[in-house]
Amino acid sequence: MSAPLLEIDRLAVSFRAERGRVHVVDRVQLALAAGETLALVGESGCGKSITALAIMRLVPRPGLIEAESRICFAGRDLLSLPVAEMRNVRGGKIGMIFQEPMTSLNPVTRVGAQVEEAIRLHAKVPAGEARRRTVELFQTVGIPDSGIRVDAYPHQLSGGLKQRVMIAMAMAMQPRLLICDEPTTALDATIRAQILELIRNMATTTGAAVLLITHDFGVVNAVADRVAVMYAGQIVEEGAREELLSRPRHPYTQGLLRSIPRPEARGNRLEEIKGVVPRPGQWPQACRFHPRCPHAFDRCRSETPARTVVSPTQAAWCHLVDEEARA
Ligand SMILES: Nc1ncnc2c1ncn2[C@@H]1O[C@H](COP(=O)(O)OP(=O)(O)O)[C@@H](O)[C@H]1O
Ligand SMILES: [Mg+2]
């Protein structure tokens, strides 16, 4: 197997708090191959967005990426790149689409001009040509009246259209890695499906890898090759999509899958995971999921689980899974 495009190892991020530093991401390990789509799932507050921001080196102050962290992208150690080179990586090789596109679009510049700028950063083309390509890209991503919409300001566009502009911009940059953080959460179901389809098409045509953060298993099912499940700052299970969805091993993954609304179970209450995600700084000892876990036993309260390989494509950090694997 060739080296992965993105390799994250021991990624740790902390924030300053009243009593010392508090970790929000703790020794995260992830790998992503070229052309692959990895879904990163987990309840709100587990550290998914901070993980994504760390890859871009955009963790907001006073957040800090701890020294032992390693993020290797296309053979380069991102965490030791000079600031100017990192800016180049962000502007080109790694693209990002957020839940709220307003945070990434410049509110005082017409959307077309922003995409033209991205095009001209990557190809030395005259302004007229960049403009023509922008209108074309807007058509490709399904923006109606694209010749007129290029002159709109972000606030004049709906959420769905702004998200399409972000995808057009990503397509203009032709990134090798596209990070999408809840890209469809703010959109209604029909638009959501169209945006996912666009992201998937873009990835297939350009060969880009996609790191897709979502809490929607419908989204996972539609686009992911592999899935990583995050809980309280750590990865607790990872695997190929089909295997992980049909045979989740970690009780947390099982709980997440059970809380998906199912049409056939209409009227029945969702079987949700009891309790809430512990806040950073209040993570339980040993297995962090044990207070919420229906299967917890002594070892879960006293010993941190290690990675247990359950098949060539699936692994879990869980004592129960470990004991089953040994039996
Ligand atoms: N600027 C910040 N200062 C302190 N804590 C933060 C900051 N940003 C995020 N956090 C905390 O980090 C944890 C992980 O956040 P986040 O990565 O956004 O979670 P997710 O994307 O999985 O919902 C949360 O508990 C959040 O409160
Ligand atoms: Mg988030």
Side-chain angles (χ1 to χ4, degrees):
M1 209 177 84
S2 58
L5 176 68
L6 176 73
E7 212 167 3
I8 300 176
D9 197 24
R10 281 167 293 154
L11 174 65
V13 180
S14 62
F15 282 96
R16 197 166 343 123
E18 282 155 33
R19 34 188 188 80
R21 300 202 67 87
V22 170
H23 276 82
V24 296
V25 170
D26 188 19
R27 285 163 293 157
V28 158
Q29 183 189 333
L30 279 178
L32 190 50
E36 183 179 51
T37 294
L38 173 71
L40 183 59
V41 301
E43 289 162 288
S44 190
C46 284
K48 305 180 300 293
S49 294
I50 297 290
T51 300
L53 290 169
I55 299 170
M56 305 285 271
R57 270 171 56 184
L58 290 175
V59 172
R61 282 168 208 276
L64 185 88
I65 300 176
E66 302 278 340
E68 76 265 25
S69 312
R70 286 285 167 274
I71 300 177
C72 197
F73 173 73
R76 298 165 91 193
D77 175 7
L78 289 189
L79 296 181
S80 64
L81 277 192
V83 172
E85 278 182 55
M86 190 61 214
R87 206 173 296 133
N88 282 340
V89 169
R90 279 202 289 269
K93 296 194 171 62
I94 305 182
M96 196 154 178
I97 296 176
F98 297 93
Q99 175 179 339
E100 181 40 77
M102 272 320 267
T103 54
S104 17
L105 285 171
N106 183 340
V108 299
T109 308
R110 296 175 197 273
V111 288
Q114 299 187 48
V115 175
E116 281 170 44
E117 194 186 314
I119 292 174
R120 299 189 72 188
L121 264 172
H122 292 272
K124 299 272 168 282
V125 295
E129 169 69 9
R131 166 94 179 182
R132 200 186 54 74
R133 284 198 206 171
T134 299
V135 174
E136 241 175 54
L137 275 174
F138 274 35
Q139 269 160 9
T140 309
V141 299
I143 297 176
D145 304 320
S146 54
I148 297 165
R149 286 287 178 27
V150 286
D151 288 324
Y153 288 97
H155 74 267
Q156 296 173 314
L157 301 178
S158 68
L161 285 182
K162 276 183 292 209
Q163 212 52 306
R164 286 172 206 264
V165 170
M166 290 309 300
I167 296 171
M169 184 118 70
M171 289 171 91
M173 301 192 318
Q174 306 214 323
R176 296 184 66 187
L177 170 65
L178 183 64
I179 300 174
C180 304
D181 190 356
E182 313 263 10
T184 58
T185 304
L187 308 174
D188 71 49
T190 326
I191 313 273
R192 180 180 308 170
Q194 291 168 359
I195 297 286
L196 286 175
E197 184 70 24
L198 271 175
I199 291 173
R200 199 170 44 175
N201 282 348
M202 189 212 122
T204 343
T205 45
T206 66
V210 180
L211 176 63
L212 178 67
I213 296 175
T214 181
H215 57 254
D216 182 339
F217 275 99
V219 170
V220 174
N221 213 0
V223 297
D225 299 308
R226 274 196 313 125
V227 184
V229 182
M230 198 163 180
Y231 186 76
Q234 295 183 317
I235 304 297
V236 296
E237 181 159 18
E238 63 183 0
R241 181 200 61 206
E242 277 184 31
E243 196 183 355
L244 188 131
L245 294 185
S246 62
R247 240 196 129 191
R249 303 302 186 94
H250 198 291
Y252 181 58
T253 315
Q254 293 169 354
L256 283 180
L257 284 165
R258 271 199 305 268
S259 49
I260 301 176
R262 279 176 219 286
E264 68 270 22
R266 216 179 344 216
N268 290 351
R269 222 153 40 93
L270 296 180
E271 195 176 349
E272 283 172 37
I273 308 166
K274 60 173 190 195
V276 293
V277 177
R279 296 159 60 100
Q282 296 170 7
W283 287 335
Q285 292 291 309
C287 173
R288 289 175 192 167
F289 186 60
H290 84 253
R292 301 177 73 190
C293 182
H295 309 294
F297 55 105
D298 289 350
R299 212 177 147 199
C300 311
R301 297 176 197 101
S302 60
E303 193 186 322
T304 302
R307 186 175 190 271
T308 299
V309 173
V310 293
S311 85
T313 60
Q314 195 173 0
W317 284 252
C318 171
H319 291 311
L320 188 70
V321 174
D322 183 53
E323 307 221 333
E324 277 169 8
R326 284 160 195 270

